[in-house]
Amino acid sequence: MTIAEHDPLTTASTQLLIGGKWRSGERDATFEVFDPSTGSSICDVADASANDAIAALDAACQVQSAWAATAPRERSEMLRRAFELMMTRRDELASLVTLEMGKPLAESIGEINYAAEFLRWFSEEAVRVHGEYRMAPSGSSKILTTRQPVGPSLLVTPWNFPMAMVTRKIGPAIAAGCTTVVKPAEQTPLSALVLGEILREAGVPDGVCNIVPTSRPQEVVTALLGDPRLRKLSFTGSTQVGRLLMSQAAGNLLRLSMELGGNNPFMVLADADIEAAVEGAMVAKLRNMGQSCVAANRFLVHAAVAEEFSDRLTARLGSLRVGPGGDEGVDVGPLIDEAQRQRVAGLVDDATRAGATVRVGGSAPSGAGYFYAPTVLEDVSSGAAINREEIFGPVASIRTFASDEEVLVAANETVQGLAAFVYTRNLGTALRAVDSLECGMVGINRGLVSEVAAPFGGIKHSGLGREGGSEGIHEYLSVKYAAIQI
Ligand code: NAD
């Protein structure tokens, strides 16, 4: 399949979705969405103002109690239908993701599968929300616990997985009985908008899912966080913005789920299967052109195997085809925008100034689009900025270590704590690493940790709360307890 087989622009609405109606923004304002593989404009999308956002919250609040009272089975079946609809339209939706975000079509198909699975998973979780009835230790009373939806929730999502980051939030919100206002990233609003259509077609009532793309996220999100009717914020994005929103959310003491940035170590220990490690590195580094919060950011490789690992990784990265994500045979698409490309180039230049060697890549090809060549850097000094900052690009930065103990200490030398990857043949070493790594997720001999049925999330500056798994729905539920005297 190529992108030309579908016209992605007929796929999605370009208006705001408020109270079940597609409408333009206040004063008919719009903003442009760009194709990162050419830099040219794709279309104009309605630009929500703070007043539009409050209208969306009005719609969410109006139906919150009726929505909370629907049968869990009904909500479950809506999600199941939405899953089926996404799968039926998978190729068309994948084309849209590639168009607005840039990733190769095969990866976009993977994203649609992953995104749809959240709807199916939470359709199954919707009917498994339990309470308890137990005796107080004194024997004098009974304790009844039930779970209730938190209430109207604001879902703020990033551009890197424009469909999956929305379904990972809206799936559990719908399952739990919360109404929502979705604020997608301004670079990629179209995927969220088509999801709004799919949810409506699946029977989700007017007002439950409201979508407000905007070119002014600060203004819109600030207005919503300042409204005492909002009960929850679920945010995925950078640590910097996450910290700002947490402080704003403190005013109304909102429930928070924060999925923030990572600085994930990828450790290759002396006894690792090097072929498997290179295979894992390709996924952990190259998926989404490196623009993933769980991308490998620091390759920490034992000196005894460093040359072999580096040679093989260099050969693999050097053979990748870079180009527009919609073209046949392309492995690596563009970065999201010029600012992102400049950041990546700046980190590479800083590392080479500090003594790193470029094994392959290290530059941006000329021509249209925000491409950056897959790059391997060796001998990166520990002080280089690339060790501290999230790269968010196709650059593998390698440092060597003399002992496995030293590697584990270096892995934790970061304020972030999202994911880590360990390659070793020793089960004991692997399990000790799981215990000692300061992060929320560990890949053992595996370069991919994202899994719908597992709790995704971080510790330290990588965030709070978990998405997916049986934990995910609890982010949208609060526990109520009744003390009962019989
Ligand atoms: P970002 O923080 O710039 O933007 C994320 C969202 O916040 C967007 O919707 C944006 O419009 C909005 N936003 C930006 N500034 C805002 C402000 N001042 N007030 C209110 N809203 C604002 O992040 P990004 O560049 O879109 O995404 C990349 C970041 O997301 C990376 O750091 C990545 O690690 C992180 N991420 C984390 C996860 C995870 O699950 N932990 C998943 C994907 C991405």
Side-chain angles (χ1 to χ4, degrees):
M1 186 189 66
T2 63
I3 214 163
E5 285 173 36
H6 299 281
D7 178 1
L9 288 181
T10 58
T11 297
S13 166
T14 54
Q15 294 198 296
L16 313 179
L17 178 59
I18 297 179
K21 306 269 178 314
W22 293 99
R23 40 163 274 198
S24 44
E26 201 187 22
R27 297 185 300 271
D28 287 333
T30 59
F31 66 100
E32 280 180 299
V33 180
F34 297 94
D35 174 353
S37 69
T38 59
S40 51
S41 174
I42 303 171
C43 64
D44 292 336
V45 168
D47 195 356
S49 65
N51 287 339
D52 294 321
I54 295 301
L57 183 59
D58 290 343
C61 292
Q62 255 165 35
V63 299
Q64 176 59 65
S65 29
W67 179 236
T70 52
R73 177 64 71 204
E74 244 183 274
R75 299 198 299 272
S76 163
E77 284 176 358
M78 288 171 201
L79 285 171
R80 178 69 197 209
R81 278 195 294 276
F83 160 76
E84 310 278 358
L85 287 166
M86 272 188 92
M87 294 316 285
T88 311
R89 295 176 64 181
R90 187 183 67 177
D91 292 354
E92 180 198 356
L93 300 176
S95 295
L96 186 67
V97 167
T98 290
L99 182 70
E100 67 173 348
M101 190 274 163
K103 69 183 81 179
L105 217 41
E107 286 197 42
S108 293
I109 290 173
E111 176 172 349
I112 299 302
N113 289 335
Y114 179 54
E117 281 299 339
F118 283 109
L119 303 180
R120 175 155 70 170
W121 174 262
F122 285 107
S123 79
E124 292 156 352
E125 292 297 286
V127 291
R128 316 234 183 282
V129 173
H130 305 298
E132 274 189 346
Y133 185 60
R134 50 188 150 110
M135 195 188 286
S138 65
S140 62
S141 64
K142 297 283 190 177
I143 296 164
L144 174 72
T145 64
T146 57
R147 290 191 157 79
Q148 295 183 313
V150 169
S153 302
L154 170 60
L155 316 179
V156 180
T157 55
W159 47 262
N160 59 349
F161 291 92
M163 190 67 91
M165 293 303 98
V166 186
T167 59
R168 195 162 80 172
K169 296 185 190 305
I170 207 161
I174 287 177
C178 293
T179 59
T180 60
V181 177
V182 179
K183 208 248 21 105
E186 52 276 31
Q187 295 91 338
T188 57
L190 300 172
S191 300
L193 290 168
V194 73
L195 179 65
E197 289 174 6
I198 287 172
L199 292 171
R200 281 171 55 71
E201 198 180 333
V204 172
D206 294 353
V208 170
C209 168
N210 304 281
I211 308 178
V212 287
T214 179
S215 64
R216 290 163 290 174
Q218 184 155 12
E219 182 185 318
V220 159
V221 172
T222 300
L224 291 166
L225 295 178
D227 191 312
R229 296 172 302 168
L230 187 75
R231 293 310 325 139
K232 178 178 173 78
L233 166 66
S234 178
F235 172 78
T236 296
S238 60
T239 297
Q240 188 193 358
V241 174
R243 193 179 283 124
L244 173 75
L245 300 191
M246 271 182 85
S247 66
Q248 287 184 267
N252 285 318
L253 285 165
L254 296 184
R255 277 282 293 272
L256 293 176
S257 304
M258 309 299 282
E259 299 286 352
L260 309 178
N263 181 0
N264 313 305
F266 187 106
M267 289 158 274
V268 184
L269 305 191
D271 68 347
D273 174 339
I274 300 302
E275 200 177 321
V278 170
E279 213 47 63
M282 294 300 290
V283 178
K285 184 72 254 181
L286 271 302
R287 188 168 72 116
N288 233 28
M289 293 74 78
Q291 301 169 120
S292 157
C293 56
V294 287
N297 213 55
R298 295 172 291 148
F299 284 89
L300 307 174
V301 185
H302 195 284
V305 293
E307 193 178 333
E308 185 187 355
F309 177 80
S310 179
D311 285 352
R312 289 205 200 189
L313 189 63
T314 299
R316 290 289 298 278
L317 261 69
S319 70
L320 296 175
R321 195 170 149 219
V322 180
D327 286 5
E328 204 81 51
V330 161
D331 303 301
V332 182
L335 299 178
I336 190 70
D337 54 26
E338 185 57 25
Q340 187 62 22
R341 179 160 73 165
Q342 292 291 337
R343 265 199 69 250
V344 172
L347 287 171
V348 171
D349 293 347
D350 170 79
T352 50
R353 270 198 304 276
T357 311
V358 178
R359 289 289 311 271
V360 68
S363 62
S366 56
Y370 310 120
F371 298 96
Y372 195 86
T375 299
V376 175
L377 298 177
E378 260 178 23
D379 306 321
V380 177
S381 77
S382 57
I386 205 163
N387 290 314
R388 293 188 306 275
E389 290 181 30
E390 201 173 19
I391 304 170
F392 249 52
V395 178
S397 156
I398 303 179
R399 281 157 70 197
T400 57
F401 283 87
S403 76
D404 292 349
E405 293 69 33
E406 200 186 330
V407 173
L408 287 173
V409 171
N412 288 336
E413 279 171 354
T414 167
V415 291
Q416 314 283 46
L418 193 58
F421 304 90
V422 186
Y423 277 77
T424 174
R425 286 189 169 96
N426 184 312
L427 180 63
T429 307
L431 294 179
R432 272 194 299 280
V434 171
D435 284 344
S436 67
L437 286 165
E438 296 169 5
C439 61
M441 298 171 281
V442 184
I444 299 291
N445 296 324
R446 187 173 163 82
L448 185 69
V449 289
S450 306
E451 159 60 55
V452 169
F456 189 104
I459 61 169
K460 294 163 75 178
H461 291 200
S462 291
L464 312 167
R466 294 294 179 268
E467 292 191 320
S470 43
E471 290 81 356
I473 194 168
H474 292 287
E475 301 281 318
Y476 295 87
L477 293 166
S478 49
V479 177
K480 182 178 277 177
Y481 139 65
I484 302 175
Q485 191 73 49
I486 296 179

